[in-house]
């Protein structure tokens, strides 16, 4: 069983399969624009989320991810466009549906626990329509699923960050919402705890079946937890697809940069390809003579014996566990080529090496795409 840290030591999450299933709802945004004074946070955003689907909103801070989440919850009202639940417009000013009547659960980035209420009372807060005994039983069941039933009478300030996140999650799932929204749920956790909480949260979302939207700025979180990823930039959707689609077939240089550190090489297109010190790479769809950028992913570069392929020299090496982070100097390129690969201990910094870059692993974008 997965483990997570508590102040009293180690405490496991509850048994999977005990959270109770929700009735998932379809969620949609049609031409949504949101302005705050002179600032446009969202611009003509349209998105459909199928019942039971898990979608990650991915992007840099300020790109509109959280604003879209708050519109879905009813915490904000759109300046233009519609928010739909099961095809019903819940954002129409004349028939606006308040947050408590939408059947939507929300886990805030700061967890938003009430400091004067116990853990049990925090989880019961969303169950005010139930009889006290039933609400108490439902709250304890939700706390048991996240492994915190024994802390039901504690208060938020007595809990670690990971435990507070789990209480917020228990509070959100207790009413069995048809839609569950989570705003940067793992950002306040350290790396070791983050991995456990993320994996258990993913299992819990699959278990409840609720339609889920998770806001994150971390591509790994998005790829590990979501069915589809919605990449956003400056209030607009840049690309939608599975994690593999966005990683392997980024629609723009921005998308490629978001998923991987790149070595970028500038050049101009001639006869459908761009010439670089590392070779000639196809540039489909880019106009003849246009400036282009060839992007080399560090883990797609292969280190081979000297004398084969490109001639290089190892100028830096850092051990990272399963692979090494290497800096390689290649003739004709004024910067170091970044490489992630396992390297024999027989090769030392300063040695000559061979460098192989498969042409089908290089991405080429218009320079204007930046």
């Amino acid at each position: 069983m997965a483990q997570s840290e508590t102040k009293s030591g180690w405490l496991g999450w509850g048994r999977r399969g005990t959270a109770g299933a929700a009735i998932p709802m379809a969620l949609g945004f049609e031409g949504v624009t949101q302005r705050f004074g002179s600032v446009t946070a969202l611009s003509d955003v349209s998105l459909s989320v199928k019942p039971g689907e898990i979608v990650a909103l991915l992007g840099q801070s300020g790109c509109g991810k959280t604003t879209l989440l708050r519109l879905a919850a009813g915490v904000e009202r759109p300046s233009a466009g519609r928010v739909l639940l099961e095809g019903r417009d819940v954002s129409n000013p004349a028939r606006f549906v308040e947050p408590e009547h939408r059947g939507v659960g929300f886990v805030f980035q700061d967890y938003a626990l009430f400091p004067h209420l116990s853990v049990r009372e925090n989880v019961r807060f969303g169950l005010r329509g139930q009889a006290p005994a039933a609400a108490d039983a439902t709250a304890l069941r939700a706390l048991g699923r996240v492994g915190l039933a024994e802390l039901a009478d504690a208060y938020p300030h007595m809990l670690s960050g990971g435990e507070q996140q789990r209480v917020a999650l228990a509070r959100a799932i207790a009413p069995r919402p048809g839609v569950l929204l989570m705003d940067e749920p793992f950002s306040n956790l350290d790396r070791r705890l983050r991995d456990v909480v993320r994996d258990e949260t993913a299992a819990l979302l699959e278990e409840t079946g609720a339609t889920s939207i998770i806001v994150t700025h971390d591509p790994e979180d998005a790829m590990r937890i979501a069915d589809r990823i919605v990449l956003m930039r400056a209030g607009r959707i840049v690309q939608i697809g599975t994690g593999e689609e966005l990683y392997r077939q980024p629609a723009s240089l921005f998308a490629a940069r978001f998923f991987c550190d790149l070595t970028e090489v500038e050049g101009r297109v001639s006869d459908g390809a761009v010439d670089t010190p590392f070779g000639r790479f196809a540039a489909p769809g880019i106009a003849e003579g246009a400036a282009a950028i060839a992007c080399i992913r560090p883990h797609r570069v292969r280190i081979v014996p000297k004398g084969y392929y490109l001639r290089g020299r190892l100028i830096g090496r850092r051990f990272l566990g399963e692979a090494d982070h290497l800096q390689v100097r290649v003739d004709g390129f004024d910067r170091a080529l970044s490489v992630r690969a396992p390297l024999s201990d027989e090769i030392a910094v300063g040695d000559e090496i061979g460098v192989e870059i498969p042409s089908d692993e290089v991405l080429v974008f218009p320079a204007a795409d930046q």
Side-chain angles (χ1 to χ4, degrees):
M1 180 177 292
Q3 300 292 304
S4 185
E5 192 173 7
T6 73
K7 292 197 172 185
S8 59
W10 292 90
L11 183 66
W13 284 65
R15 184 166 58 89
R16 293 184 179 181
T18 59
I23 300 176
M25 294 189 291
L27 174 63
F29 304 88
E30 291 185 353
V32 170
T33 294
Q34 183 70 332
R35 302 183 187 89
F36 299 104
S38 61
V39 176
T40 300
L42 292 171
S43 182
D44 195 26
V45 171
S46 294
L47 173 67
S48 295
V49 184
K50 296 178 292 187
E53 188 177 20
I54 302 173
V55 168
L57 301 181
L58 178 66
Q60 299 165 337
S61 297
C63 71
K65 308 183 301 294
T66 296
T67 299
L68 198 62
L69 212 66
R70 292 172 67 86
L71 289 171
V75 179
E76 304 279 357
R77 302 186 182 215
S79 303
R82 304 195 302 165
V83 178
L84 308 174
L85 281 173
E86 289 291 278
R88 175 190 176 197
D89 184 357
V90 294
S91 60
N92 188 313
R95 298 181 299 277
F96 186 81
V97 179
E98 297 294 339
E100 60 269 24
H101 299 305
R102 292 194 178 191
V104 173
F106 202 134
V107 179
F108 293 87
Q109 183 175 1
D110 61 0
Y111 312 140
L113 300 178
F114 300 108
H116 61 289
L117 298 181
S118 69
V119 166
R120 182 199 315 260
E121 290 166 338
N122 265 281
V123 178
R124 281 183 51 176
F125 186 81
L127 303 169
R128 287 171 291 179
Q130 296 186 15
D136 197 57
T138 300
L140 287 174
R141 183 165 56 249
L143 285 169
R145 176 59 185 87
V146 299
L148 295 179
E150 69 177 45
L151 297 179
D153 295 321
Y155 285 83
H157 73 274
M158 302 166 64
L159 308 181
S160 68
E163 289 165 348
Q164 290 182 29
Q165 192 270 355
R166 289 154 69 185
V167 173
L169 181 57
R171 182 176 62 185
I173 67 169
R176 300 189 185 182
V179 174
L180 181 61
L181 310 173
M182 306 181 73
D183 189 7
E184 296 280 7
F186 317 119
S187 62
N188 295 327
L189 307 177
D190 63 53
R191 174 55 62 182
R192 179 179 60 167
L193 188 56
R194 182 191 188 111
D195 289 345
V196 171
V197 172
R198 179 185 55 211
D199 292 347
E200 286 292 340
T201 299
L204 185 55
L205 296 181
E206 293 283 356
E207 184 180 318
T208 64
T211 306
S212 303
I213 299 185
I214 299 173
V215 161
T216 182
H217 62 273
D218 188 322
E220 183 178 347
D221 284 347
M223 288 192 286
R224 289 182 63 165
I225 206 168
D227 300 316
R228 282 193 304 158
I229 297 172
V230 178
L231 181 61
M232 299 185 65
R233 183 184 190 186
R236 296 180 181 272
I237 293 175
V238 173
Q239 189 173 357
I240 302 175
T242 65
E244 184 174 359
E245 287 169 345
L246 267 66
Y247 180 84
R248 295 188 181 280
Q249 300 164 346
S252 64
L253 180 56
F254 170 81
R257 285 171 174 169
F258 209 93
F259 281 85
C260 186
D261 293 328
L262 305 167
T263 296
E264 300 180 15
V265 191
E266 298 178 353
R268 289 201 173 270
V269 175
S270 174
D271 295 328
V274 59
D275 286 306
T276 77
F278 303 101
R280 183 172 172 83
F281 304 112
I286 304 178
E288 184 76 6
I293 297 178
C295 301
I296 302 170
R297 290 171 165 155
H299 55 284
R300 297 302 187 188
V301 180
R302 298 170 189 160
I303 302 302
V304 297
K306 67 178 180 179
Y308 292 87
Y309 296 99
L310 297 172
R311 189 175 75 175
R313 185 178 298 278
L314 183 65
I315 61 173
R317 178 179 185 179
R318 289 285 182 181
F319 176 73
L320 297 180
E322 295 181 356
D324 295 287
H325 181 214
L326 312 174
Q327 296 289 308
V328 178
R329 182 72 69 190
V330 174
D331 290 346
F333 190 56
D334 59 1
R335 287 170 281 137
L337 173 67
S338 180
V339 180
R340 289 203 177 206
L343 191 65
S344 168
D345 290 335
E346 297 177 359
I347 300 177
V349 172
D351 287 353
E352 287 190 10
I353 56 175
V355 178
E356 180 188 5
I357 303 174
S359 59
D360 59 350
E361 295 286 358
V362 177
L363 305 169
V364 180
F365 299 100
D369 196 23
Q370 301 182 71

